[in-house]
Amino acid sequence: MSVDADTVRRIAHLARIAVAEDEISHLQGELNAILAFVEQLAAVDVANVEPMTSVTPMAMKKRPDVVTDGEIAEQVLRNAPATQDGFFLVPKVVE
Amino acid sequence: MDAAAKSKLIKGSTGDWEIVIGMEVHAQVTSQAKLFSGASTAFGGEPNAHVSLIDAAMPGMLPVINEECVAQAVRTGLGLKAQINLRSVFDRKNYFYPDLPQGYQISQYKSPVVGEGEVVVDLPEETIRVGIERLHLEQDAGKSLHDRHPTMSFVDLNRSGVALMEIVSKPDLRSPEDAKAYVMKLRSILRYLGTCDGDMEKGNLRADVNVSVRKPGAPLGTRCEIKNVNSIRFIGQAIEHEARRQIEIIEDGGAIEQETRLFDPVRGETRSMRSKEEAHDYRYFPDPDLLPLELAPEFVEALRTSLPELPDEKKHRFVADYALSGYDADVLVAERESAEFFEAVVCGGASRRDAKTAANWVINELFGRLNKEGREIGASPVGAEQLGIILDLLAEGTISGKIAKDVFEIVWNEGGDPRAIVEARGLKQVTDTGEIERAVDAIIAANPDKAEQAKTKPAVVGWFVGQVIKSSGGKANPQAVNTLLRQKLGV
C-alpha cells in the first residue's frame, strides 16, 4: 500500500493542517515509509484470530450514573487563547 | 400496489413517482451524567459549566462508560423488539469542528449495541411495519453560536459528551405522513420507556431524513440526506419539498447527486449543506481507550422483565378489557400519562366506572380543555379522582349531563370535591315529580298554541322538554320531564 500526492493533500485537508505544495513530496515519502514498515504485519497469518483488545482478559470498566464532575468552567477555559462570557472563542466557522 | 400505497404516489409530468424515506433519529438518553464522564446532562446552565476535563478533551483524560446509558440503550432496543448485541464496539468517527474538542466523536460503527427491530405504526387507513436497522450509542457535540461577534464563533461544551441513541430505520416509509407518524410512534415508545424525554424543542429528539424518489417498482433512486430536522411538522414539509425538487431535476433530464442538505423552515425548502470534496470521510477505527462493551445475558433479561407496558400492548388491552374503539385507544395510549389518567378514572371508584363514558370525558372534555390552554395532562387542574366523582354523580342520576359539564368547569377553575360542590350550589338534578310537574304546567299554560300543535306534531314535545329543563336551570331530569309532558299534552 502506498499513497500518492493527492492522497497526501486530502489527508492534510481532513486533518485541517496547512501543507505547502513543496512539502508534499517529502511527506508522501515519509508516509509511504511508515506504511511500508506496517506492511510487514501482512506476513503474519491472522485468519481465524480474534482481534486482541487487551493484553490481559478484562471487562470494560463502568461508572454509575452519578454527577461527580463538571462545574469547573474556569479550569476548562484556562488554556484557551480567547474566551468571553464563559465561552471559548474561535475564528468564525460560518460565512 | 394496494390502494393505500397508490394514494401516496405523487404526480410528475412523466407520470407517478414513489417517495422512499428512511430516518436516522437522534434521541438524547435520559441520564444524570454524560456517556463517558461524570459531568451533568442538565439542560441550560452557564456556558461550559457542565463540562469535565474529559468532555473538553484535555490530554490524558480517559473515557469511562456510564452503565445507566448502556441500560437505557438496551431498554430502548427491547422496546423496539430488536436484537440486543451482547458484544458491541466503540469507534472513533473523525472530523474537525470547533465544538468537537476531541477531533472525533465516540460512536459505534460496525458493531452497534442494538441490531434489527420493528416499529408498528397505525395510520388512519392502514398499519405499516417500519424496520429498525440498528441503534447505537454515541456522544453529542458542543454548541457553536455564530451570531454574537463579527469575526468569532462562541463555543459552549455543555452538550459535549451527552449520550445519544442514533436509531436508524430501514427505507420503509413512503410518504410525509408515514414519516411523521413513525417519529410520533417512536417518540411515544421512548417516553413510555423513560429512555428519552422526546422534547424536540430542546433538541432532545431530532431526525436526519433520507429521501429518494423512483417510478413505482423501479430500483431505489439516489438519496439526499436532510440533516437535523427538529419538529414533526418540519419533517413533513422537508420531505414534501425534497421529493418535488428531485422529481423536477430528473424530469428535466438531470441526475440527483448524493449530498447532505439542510431544511430552512422559514423558506420551506432544503438547500445543499456540504460541497462534494468535503463528502463524508470519517476514517472510523475502534477507540483504543475503550474495551468492547460486553453484556451479560442476565443483565439484558433483568431489563426485559422490568420494561413497562408499551403503547401497542396497552392499546390491545384497552380494546380487549374496556371495549374501546381502536381510535379512542390510540388517542389514550399515545402518552403514558393520558393512559394512566384514563385508567385511574375507570378503576379509581368503589366499583369500575363505565369505560366508554370515561374515555369520552377524558378525550373530549379534558383533552379539549388542556389543548385550549396548552397544558400537559400532568398539570391538569381536574384530577382523575375528581373526574371519577363527576362521572359517579352522572351515573347515579344526581346531576344531568349538562350540569356535569358545569361542575367540570367549576372544578377546573376553583378545585374542590365535585360532590360537595353539587350539594353546596344546589345543582342536584330534580327528580321530584311534584316540582317538575309545576314547571311543566307553567310552560304549557304559557304556550297554549304550541300545546295544541303538539297533538299533531309530536316533534314539538322536544321544544317543551327544552323549555322545562331551561326553566329549572338544567337541573330537571330530562326523562322525567319527557314522561310528564307526554302525559299532560296527551301524546
Side-chain angles (χ1 to χ4, degrees):
Chain A
M1 187 180 172
S2 64
V3 296
D4 58 14
D6 270 348
T7 306
V8 175
R9 286 188 197 98
R10 181 170 164 69
I11 293 166
H13 173 70
L14 286 169
R16 298 295 185 275
I17 296 171
V19 174
E21 201 49 38
D22 59 6
E23 293 173 285
I24 299 276
S25 77
H26 170 68
L27 281 171
Q28 186 185 345
E30 280 201 0
L31 286 173
N32 283 329
I34 294 167
L35 286 170
F37 175 66
V38 176
E39 241 0 52
Q40 294 178 54
L41 292 173
V44 185
D45 179 8
V46 290
N48 305 318
V49 178
E50 282 251 330
M52 186 181 71
T53 49
S54 172
V55 284
T56 53
M58 56 190 288
M60 189 189 217
K61 285 264 186 298
K62 301 189 179 83
R63 70 164 76 234
D65 184 29
V66 178
V67 176
T68 55
D69 207 343
E71 315 312 311
I72 46 165
E74 202 184 306
Q75 286 183 53
V76 165
L77 293 166
R78 188 176 298 160
N79 292 334
T83 64
Q84 189 182 312
D85 307 329
F87 291 94
F88 290 95
L89 255 61
V90 298
K92 203 157 203 147
V93 286
V94 288
E95 316 249 302
Chain B
M1 182 170 278
D2 62 22
K6 219 162 203 162
S7 72
K8 294 173 186 173
L9 299 179
I10 52 177
K11 291 227 176 307
S13 59
T14 59
D16 287 341
W17 292 86
E18 183 178 39
I19 316 178
V20 178
I21 307 152
M23 306 262 260
E24 291 163 25
V25 171
H26 290 88
Q28 185 187 318
V29 175
T30 299
S31 67
Q32 298 297 312
K34 293 182 178 181
L35 181 54
F36 294 112
S37 87
S40 168
T41 59
F43 182 78
E46 293 296 308
N48 291 304
H50 306 319
V51 180
S52 75
L53 298 179
I54 297 167
D55 310 317
M58 292 296 168
M61 297 296 115
L62 289 172
V64 181
I65 201 163
N66 179 336
E67 62 187 355
E68 175 62 12
C69 294
V70 176
Q72 293 286 55
V74 172
R75 283 188 193 104
T76 307
L78 294 169
L80 300 175
K81 314 277 183 267
Q83 159 83 32
I84 305 299
N85 295 325
L86 296 180
R87 187 176 188 281
S88 64
V89 175
F90 285 96
D91 298 277
R92 292 185 178 181
K93 177 179 179 177
N94 298 280
Y95 68 97
F96 273 92
Y97 204 74
D99 56 26
L100 185 80
Q102 285 168 159
Y104 57 86
Q105 176 193 36
I106 303 179
S107 181
Q108 297 189 298
Y109 186 49
K110 281 190 183 147
S111 308
V113 64
V114 175
E116 293 189 324
E118 187 180 73
V119 174
V120 177
V121 182
D122 287 318
L123 292 160
E125 303 295 320
E126 58 171 341
T127 294
I128 54 172
R129 312 181 87 85
V130 182
I132 297 296
E133 179 76 37
R134 58 185 281 160
L135 175 155
H136 68 253
L137 278 167
E138 63 184 26
Q139 299 174 300
D140 201 352
K143 193 175 178 174
S144 303
L145 305 166
H146 305 294
D147 55 359
R148 299 222 175 170
H149 194 282
T151 57
M152 308 292 267
S153 291
F154 284 44
V155 177
D156 173 13
L157 299 180
N158 280 346
R159 314 305 307 150
S160 169
V162 169
L164 302 178
M165 295 179 281
E166 179 172 324
I167 304 165
V168 183
S169 87
K170 299 196 177 207
D172 289 348
L173 303 157
R174 293 290 176 270
S175 72
E177 283 64 41
D178 284 8
K180 283 155 71 178
Y182 163 72
V183 175
M184 280 194 276
K185 183 62 178 285
L186 187 59
R187 180 175 178 276
S188 172
I189 293 171
L190 294 170
R191 286 173 54 86
Y192 265 74
L193 291 164
T195 57
C196 169
D197 68 14
D199 190 334
M200 297 188 85
E201 269 170 40
K202 286 185 186 159
N204 295 352
L205 189 78
R206 46 193 198 252
D208 297 346
V209 192
N210 286 297
V211 179
S212 65
V213 297
R214 65 176 174 190
K215 287 289 171 77
L220 287 175
T222 305
R223 67 191 159 86
C224 289
E225 181 184 21
I226 311 163
K227 276 269 181 207
N228 265 334
V229 190
N230 63 0
S231 89
I232 305 263
R233 195 160 56 90
F234 292 163
I235 289 172
Q237 289 175 6
I239 294 169
E240 192 82 44
H241 171 273
E242 179 59 19
R244 299 223 172 263
R245 185 189 73 89
Q246 292 184 11
I247 291 168
E248 222 168 276
I249 290 175
I250 300 171
E251 291 191 334
D252 285 351
I256 304 300
E257 272 183 51
Q258 185 166 341
E259 61 174 355
T260 306
R261 300 179 69 82
L262 261 189
F263 178 66
D264 179 344
V266 180
R267 294 176 161 186
E269 62 180 31
T270 65
R271 59 167 182 267
S272 186
M273 190 177 161
R274 289 197 184 117
S275 59
K276 236 179 30 185
E277 65 258 326
E278 285 183 81
H280 306 182
D281 187 352
Y282 293 128
R283 295 147 293 147
Y284 283 97
F285 64 89
D287 191 318
D289 288 341
L290 291 160
L291 286 162
L293 177 60
E294 280 168 340
L295 308 176
E298 306 80 59
F299 171 79
V300 176
E301 283 320 300
L303 292 173
R304 191 192 301 276
T305 52
S306 70
L307 283 191
E309 184 183 36
L310 292 170
D312 288 341
E313 287 102 66
K314 210 183 268 296
K315 178 187 172 182
H316 291 142
R317 186 165 63 78
F318 279 14
V319 171
D321 288 9
Y322 299 125
L324 296 185
S325 68
Y327 175 80
D328 282 356
D330 266 337
V331 175
L332 289 170
V333 305
E335 295 283 344
R336 186 171 173 172
E337 290 76 12
S338 308
E340 282 169 0
F341 190 101
F342 163 76
E343 287 213 275
V345 172
V346 175
C347 304
S351 61
R352 197 155 120 171
R353 300 188 173 109
D354 182 63
K356 185 62 200 162
T357 312
N360 283 342
W361 273 78
V362 171
I363 293 170
N364 298 322
E365 302 305 320
L366 184 69
F367 288 0
R369 201 70 166 77
L370 289 169
N371 284 342
K372 208 164 124 191
E373 300 199 5
R375 283 186 196 235
E376 298 287 328
I377 193 154
S380 168
V382 178
E385 198 187 329
Q386 290 161 309
L387 180 54
I389 294 171
I390 295 176
L391 297 188
D392 285 346
L393 292 165
L394 191 58
E396 69 206 22
T398 307
I399 55 174
S400 64
K402 185 196 169 296
I403 294 289
K405 288 183 187 178
D406 293 346
V407 174
F408 178 87
E409 201 56 31
I410 294 168
V411 176
W412 180 282
N413 290 315
E414 304 166 26
D417 170 26
R419 198 171 282 280
I421 290 169
V422 167
E423 198 67 48
R425 308 198 185 187
L427 297 172
K428 273 192 176 170
Q429 184 160 245
V430 179
T431 42
D432 168 6
T433 30
E435 202 174 318
I436 297 176
E437 204 169 345
R438 277 189 291 283
V440 168
D441 287 342
I443 300 284
I444 291 176
N447 299 282
D449 47 334
K450 289 222 187 243
E452 201 51 45
Q453 258 184 13
K455 295 199 165 70
T456 49
K457 275 174 69 185
V460 177
V461 177
W463 180 83
F464 275 100
V465 174
Q467 291 300 306
V468 174
I469 291 177
K470 202 168 147 195
S471 80
S472 75
K475 292 185 288 177
N477 179 308
Q479 247 150 12
V481 173
N482 198 26
T483 315
L484 265 172
L485 269 170
R486 284 176 184 279
Q487 274 174 25
K488 301 249 172 193
L489 292 170
V491 292

